[in-house]
Amino acid sequence: MPEGPSVRKFQLLTTPFVGQVVTKVGGSSRKINVNDLNALRLQDSQVHGKNLYLAFVAAEGPVGPTLQREAASRASSPAQGGQEQVCARHTHLQEKELQELQDFRSEVPDAAEGLGNWLRFHFGLFGSIRANEFSRAKKANKRGDWKDPIPRLVLHFERGGFLVFYNCRMHWCSSPRADPASDVLSVEFHRGRALDALHAPNPVCYTLLDQRYFSGLGNIIKNEILYLAKIHPLTPGTLLALSDLERLLDCAVQFSSDWLRSKLHGEGLHPQIYKKEQCPLGHAVMKGTLGPSGGLKRLTWWCPQCQPAVLSKDGDPSPVTE
Ligand SMILES: [Zn+2]
């Protein structure tokens, strides 16, 4: 799924539309009634971690009780178990897609929050936003058809522009779930809290994906910063010196900001370890599916030479499941 830097770029695409009224809607979403957005004014756009939030108000003025009641009635319709039928068309889910669904489940417990005038967007693996253009098929599907991606939501605005949202789940809520102290891309990011979280007996690669402490940090960033900091993904945080944890945090902040900057310049990411067979020094890279037992497991790449395993006191390296 798109990580923090990508969602920040999406948010920048929406900002020119803030203040404009929605004049026409479209899209395939079944989680919300897209027609409810007709004639509303886009009032605000915020990004928190991996989520984008758009605020809508009645076009005449600021949000009033009437709209909030309407939003409440919209949201109190059956919650469908909190899951949009993301892949209903696909009978065979690929492993990646399953992981995305697991991500959704781990991060979206909030059917009960469905009140209010903020629309929350959570993006899937190929989730994206386009401004004033539709996404086109880049290759034929398995049946040989050139089918363009189907937007979940299309918003046309009064000045003629439009926004298109792909592969995302939408959900009405009363306010953005904001915790800038956990967002590595926020100036309010709280290093002390992040250090405390990392300094736990858990393997650091589990803690880095914990959105309570590192919102917006995803699997690509995790792999890259562990390589940059030369830390084995399964190292228990308690076995690392404070200086190592500090360096890992520095890498997290620096890498995320650099990635955002290159995205804004239209440049791609050039990973050093993620999905690589060799590290930049030519060593063979290891790959494993790592995650807490009973929790989300993600494919992880590391270089056993650049990121040597740290043995615990009883000399037993943490197990690696393939
Ligand atoms: Zn290496």
Side-chain angles (χ1 to χ4, degrees):
M1 86 174 64
E3 302 184 28
S6 303
V7 183
R8 290 211 169 221
K9 188 187 169 192
F10 298 161
Q11 191 241 347
L12 287 172
L13 290 174
T14 68
T15 50
F17 297 90
V18 171
Q20 293 191 50
V21 175
V22 176
T23 52
K24 199 172 105 186
V25 294
S28 66
S29 176
R30 284 173 293 168
K31 185 74 191 287
I32 63 163
N33 181 356
V34 295
N35 291 320
D36 287 341
L37 289 158
N38 241 330
L40 297 185
R41 186 186 301 280
L42 176 60
Q43 188 192 37
D44 197 0
S45 168
Q46 296 184 12
V47 61
H48 298 287
K50 296 178 190 170
N51 295 303
L52 173 72
Y53 293 87
L54 299 181
F56 292 91
V57 295
E60 293 76 33
V63 64
T66 312
L67 181 72
Q68 288 199 344
R69 257 201 314 280
E70 284 170 8
S73 68
R74 273 196 299 267
S76 61
S77 59
Q80 301 172 6
Q83 292 291 321
E84 189 163 353
Q85 299 296 310
V86 176
C87 295
R89 295 190 309 278
H90 301 214
T91 46
H92 300 289
L93 289 176
Q94 292 177 352
E95 181 197 27
K96 276 180 187 166
E97 291 173 308
L98 281 169
Q99 281 184 356
E100 290 305 312
L101 285 170
Q102 284 180 355
D103 273 8
F104 283 154
R105 288 188 193 115
S106 68
E107 293 180 19
V108 191
D110 49 10
E113 281 181 15
L115 298 167
N117 64 315
W118 286 88
L119 194 55
R120 171 184 187 264
F121 295 79
H122 189 79
F123 295 91
L125 184 60
F126 299 109
S128 69
I129 293 182
R130 302 282 183 123
N132 306 318
E133 60 172 2
F134 287 92
S135 179
R136 296 291 178 208
K138 293 185 186 72
K139 57 182 181 184
N141 64 19
K142 282 175 192 150
R143 288 194 213 101
D145 302 328
W146 286 71
K147 267 193 175 164
D148 292 331
I150 299 169
R152 287 282 154 76
L153 176 66
V154 186
L155 295 177
H156 293 266
F157 289 89
E158 55 186 327
R159 285 185 224 146
F162 60 97
L163 285 170
V164 195
F165 303 78
Y166 293 98
N167 193 16
C168 55
R169 296 180 71 234
M170 285 164 274
H171 184 89
W172 289 103
C173 60
S174 55
S175 64
R177 197 194 297 164
D179 183 12
S182 69
D183 190 337
V184 290
L185 282 169
S186 165
V187 289
E188 295 168 54
F189 178 60
H190 195 301
R191 283 182 69 97
R193 211 171 81 174
L195 275 178
D196 284 347
L198 283 172
H199 189 67
N202 296 330
V204 285
C205 78
Y206 302 177
T207 311
L208 285 173
L209 290 184
D210 189 330
Q211 298 296 299
R212 290 173 299 171
Y213 306 110
F214 298 96
S215 65
L217 199 154
N219 203 35
I220 297 176
I221 297 177
K222 174 197 86 176
N223 279 282
E224 291 296 302
I225 64 175
L226 284 169
Y227 179 75
L228 292 170
K230 304 201 183 308
I231 293 173
H232 190 285
L234 286 174
T235 313
T238 39
L239 292 190
L240 286 168
L242 186 61
S243 56
D244 291 328
L245 296 175
E246 292 266 14
R247 196 174 44 176
L248 183 58
L249 269 192
D250 289 340
C251 291
V253 172
Q254 188 68 42
F255 182 86
S256 304
S257 322
D258 288 350
W259 192 8
L260 174 61
R261 199 170 306 121
S262 63
K263 271 188 172 297
L264 298 180
H265 288 98
E267 296 158 11
L269 178 75
H270 301 291
Q272 304 209 38
I273 195 90
Y274 179 74
K275 292 190 175 176
K276 297 287 186 184
E277 293 186 353
Q278 288 190 341
C279 86
L281 300 182
H283 309 133
V285 162
M286 303 269 292
K287 182 172 92 170
T289 307
L290 308 184
S293 61
L296 184 64
K297 296 183 173 49
R298 301 299 301 267
L299 273 173
T300 305
W301 289 260
W302 70 96
C303 170
Q305 283 174 268
C306 298
Q307 301 163 267
V310 178
L311 299 185
S312 58
K313 289 198 181 69
D314 55 12
D316 187 21
S318 304
V320 174
T321 52
E322 194 69 42

